[in-house]
Amino acid sequence: IVMDGNLPNEKVSYHLAGGGDRPHFARSVSTNYGLTFRIDPKPLMYGYNQTQSLLTPSRIEWNSGHVIRFRGRLWWVGLVGAFGSGGGAVSRHICQAPLSSDGRHLLGVPQKVFPAGSPDDYRSVFVLHEDNTFYLYYTRSKTVMLLTTAAAG
């Protein structure tokens, strides 16, 4: 997914940089409206210290989330999941957390979007913030779901 960056002509993408059960995640930045991208040479970390209260062992799935700006702050909304790869079902939670201004680190423990829910076979997340409403599109198994909610106060 390609998202707007901090500058008017900047685009940012979070993606895989190597696969398997222990993949590497990366962040790429474009300063020319997405015509070309430069891969940040520093890999994104799994966030072990932030995710273990959700699932053990687990990681931040940088390539299956989305970044939004809300009330002047960057927020990451995405998947925290057990280690695994391939097409089989994987246990994941949809979570949210404030994101550092450089877009590389979550600022705290990710909070579940569905607090009472068990981990499920969530596959991808996309968030749209329009006027005072959030639209959370997510894939559960092979079904695309939509949750809408008004922004709090």
Side-chain angles (χ1 to χ4, degrees):
I1 294 176
V2 176
M3 296 158 270
D4 290 334
N6 290 324
L7 303 173
N9 60 342
E10 186 178 70
K11 300 293 180 187
V12 176
S13 176
Y14 292 87
H15 55 87
L16 280 174
D21 285 348
R22 301 281 190 261
H24 301 284
F25 298 102
R27 180 178 183 269
S28 294
V29 178
S30 170
T31 55
N32 58 6
Y33 300 98
L35 294 174
T36 59
F37 281 85
R38 179 188 56 80
I39 296 176
D40 186 331
K42 299 174 288 193
L44 295 166
M45 298 293 110
Y46 290 146
Y48 289 125
N49 60 328
Q50 297 171 308
T51 63
Q52 298 317 300
S53 63
L54 300 166
L55 287 169
T56 302
S58 61
R59 65 178 180 221
I60 298 166
E61 305 240 352
W62 290 99
N63 62 317
S64 298
H66 200 78
V67 175
I68 61 169
R69 185 174 299 280
F70 180 64
R71 296 188 177 146
R73 173 178 245 177
L74 291 175
W75 286 83
W76 172 85
V77 181
L79 301 176
V80 170
F83 284 83
S85 63
V90 177
S91 293
R92 296 182 178 110
H93 287 288
I94 299 174
C95 296
Q96 62 183 356
L99 186 65
S100 63
S101 61
D102 67 0
R104 298 186 49 78
H105 309 281
L106 300 186
L107 300 175
V109 175
Q111 301 299 309
K112 295 182 213 175
V113 171
F114 305 118
S118 300
D120 207 335
D121 187 23
Y122 296 115
R123 294 291 172 162
S124 61
V125 175
F126 176 80
V127 179
L128 177 64
H129 179 223
E130 185 71 30
D131 296 323
N132 199 37
T133 303
F134 285 97
Y135 300 88
L136 172 66
Y137 295 88
Y138 60 97
T139 306
R140 182 176 173 209
S141 299
K142 296 180 181 177
T143 305
V144 176
M145 313 286 277
L146 170 63
L147 171 72
T148 61
T149 187

